[in-house]
Amino acid sequence: MQPFTYNANPARILFGAGRLSELGAELQRLGAKRALIITTPQQRATGAALMAQLGELAGAVFDGATMHTPTDVTAVALAALQAQRCDALVAIGGGSTIGLAKALALRTGLPQIAIPTTYAGSEVTPILGETADGVKKTQRSSSLLPQVVIYDVDQTLSLPSAMSASSGLNAMAHAVEALYARDANPIISLMAEEGIAALARSLPVVVKQPGNAGARSDAQYGAWLCGTCLGAVGMALHHKLCHVLGGSFDLPHAETHAIVLPHAIAYNAAVAPEPMARLGRALGGTKAPWTHMHAMLGSLGLPTALRDIGMPEHGLQRALDLVLSDSYWNPRPMEAEPLRQLLRHAYEGAAPTLD
C-alpha cells in the first residue's frame, strides 16, 4: 500500500429522526445563552419555529442568507448579531445558511450548530466560499467547522424533488473528486464510494416518493459521507469550474454542480482509471461513469444545460479565462481547448466526451 496521510475533522454528529428536539441541550452544552438563528427568506417560518422552540436561548433570527455567501450580506448579518449580543450561531437550511454561519464564525470565533435540510455537505467541511465583486474565493480553516451537526430526516421531508436531486448530485461531486484528489487516502476513498452508492440508490426513490423517510435518511447518510470527503481532502477541476460559474454568473449552486459533474469526470477519466472503477462500482451501472451521471440528470428531472439555468453564452470565454488564470491542482493538466469544449458541451447540454 502507498503511504498516505489522513486528517479527521472534529465534529459532533446527531443523526436520526426527531433529533432537532435536542438543539437546546446542545446549545447549553456549548455554553451559549443567545443564539442567532440563520435562514433564507424562504425559511422565515422555520426560523420562527426554532425561536419558539428555544425560548430564552434564542436571541434573534437573521433570514437574509443567500447563494455564494456575498460579503455584503455577511456584513449585515454581523451587525445584527452584534446588536442582539448573540453568542452562538444556529444555521438551518442548505449551503447558503451554513455558509453564512461559517463566515460569521470566521469573523467572531462563535460556536456553530448546523441543521442541514438539503444534501449540500457544507456542514462538515472546513471550507468557505465567499463572493465579492463577482468573484468567488475559497478558503480553508478549522475555525469554519460547526461544533455540532444535527441530521434530522424530518427536516428534509418537505424539500422539493428537483432540489433534492440537484443537492444530492452536488454532494456526489464532493466524493467523486475525493477519489482522485492529490491527497486521496484509503479511508476517504471508502467513504466516498459508500456515499456515492447511498445517493445513487436513494435519489431516484426520493424524487418519486418525496415523503419516503427511509430513502430520505439514506440520502442524508450519503450526503454526510460525501461532505466529510470534501472536508478531508482537496478538490480539483469540477469545484474550480463550479466556483467560477456560480460566483461570476450567479448560477444556482446545486444545479451548476449537477450539470458540470459528468463533464469533469470525463475530462479526468483517462488519467484516473482506479477512481473511475470505484465510481462505476458505486453507481452500480454498466455505462461509463460520465455517461451514467449525465443520464441521471434526465432521469431525475434536472436540466442538463448551463444555458437553461441562466448561463450567458458570452460568458463562456470569461469563465475559461478565470479557470486558467488561477493555478488549481487537477490530475489532468488544465488545457485551454479541451476546457473550452467542456464548457461548450455543458452549456448546450451535450453528452460529455473524453477529448
Side-chain angles (χ1 to χ4, degrees):
M1 180 175 288
Q2 295 292 322
F4 66 89
T5 300
Y6 171 58
N7 293 307
N9 290 320
R12 177 174 166 83
I13 308 295
L14 279 62
F15 191 102
R19 300 208 69 175
L20 184 60
S21 64
E22 301 173 48
L23 175 59
E26 291 301 312
L27 283 168
Q28 291 175 326
R29 192 181 64 82
L30 293 172
K33 293 182 171 55
R34 285 177 63 81
L36 179 71
I37 299 167
I38 301 169
T39 76
T40 63
Q42 295 77 22
Q43 295 172 305
R44 287 193 181 106
T46 301
L50 277 191
M51 281 281 288
Q53 175 184 327
L54 291 175
E56 58 186 29
L57 283 172
V61 174
F62 181 83
D63 58 13
T66 190
M67 291 190 305
H68 309 303
T69 321
T71 54
D72 55 347
V73 173
T74 301
V76 175
L78 181 59
L81 183 154
Q82 293 169 337
Q84 295 294 330
R85 303 186 306 281
C86 293
D87 59 0
L89 304 161
V90 173
I92 183 164
S96 297
T97 56
I98 293 167
L100 178 55
K102 287 180 172 183
L104 292 171
L106 184 67
R107 289 159 172 79
T108 64
L110 294 180
Q112 307 171 67
I113 296 180
I115 308 159
T117 62
T118 71
Y119 308 127
S122 175
E123 65 277 358
V124 284
T125 75
I127 302 168
L128 172 64
E130 294 185 289
T131 304
D133 301 321
V135 177
K136 189 169 186 177
K137 295 184 178 180
T138 303
Q139 58 184 308
R140 278 181 175 255
S141 171
S142 59
S143 63
L144 294 168
L145 280 167
Q147 280 68 32
V148 181
V149 181
I150 300 177
Y151 288 104
D152 185 338
V153 68
D154 294 341
Q155 303 306 307
T156 69
L157 294 177
S158 62
L159 188 66
S161 293
M163 194 176 297
S164 299
S166 60
S167 177
L169 292 184
N170 177 22
M172 259 196 216
H174 310 329
V176 169
E177 292 224 300
L179 289 172
Y180 51 67
R182 178 166 44 182
D183 48 356
N185 62 73
I187 306 302
I188 290 300
S189 292
L190 284 170
M191 296 176 75
E193 190 171 339
E194 173 73 358
I196 293 166
L199 285 163
R201 66 176 175 254
S202 61
L203 288 179
V205 181
V206 167
V207 167
K208 293 178 182 177
Q209 304 171 30
N212 187 317
R216 288 280 190 186
S217 186
D218 203 17
Q220 203 169 41
Y221 165 69
W224 169 40
L225 292 175
C226 293
T228 300
C229 294
L230 173 64
V233 298
M235 295 288 107
L237 171 65
H238 172 81
H239 282 74
K240 174 62 175 179
L241 283 168
C242 292
H243 281 179
V244 165
L245 293 168
S248 300
F249 304 99
D250 198 32
L251 304 184
H253 181 85
E255 289 87 345
T256 302
H257 277 263
I259 291 169
V260 170
L261 180 58
H263 301 278
I265 293 170
Y267 186 91
N268 286 321
V271 298
E274 183 179 346
M276 293 301 134
R278 277 186 175 270
L279 177 56
R281 187 163 61 236
L283 292 173
T286 57
K287 300 176 182 177
W290 51 95
T291 303
H292 188 124
M293 292 298 303
H294 190 254
M296 279 186 70
L297 293 172
S299 67
L300 295 175
L302 294 174
T304 60
L306 290 174
R307 65 185 175 194
D308 292 338
I309 61 169
M311 179 67 190
E313 185 172 11
H314 65 78
L316 293 176
Q317 182 60 49
R318 182 180 176 217
L320 178 62
D321 292 341
L322 287 170
V323 169
L324 293 173
S325 67
D326 187 17
S327 60
Y328 203 88
W329 185 86
N330 189 63
R332 175 183 172 183
M334 303 285 200
E335 303 173 63
E337 287 310 311
L339 285 174
R340 189 189 310 279
Q341 181 171 297
L342 183 160
L343 285 167
R344 171 58 63 178
H345 285 174
Y347 173 77
E348 295 175 347
T353 67
L354 294 176
D355 295 339

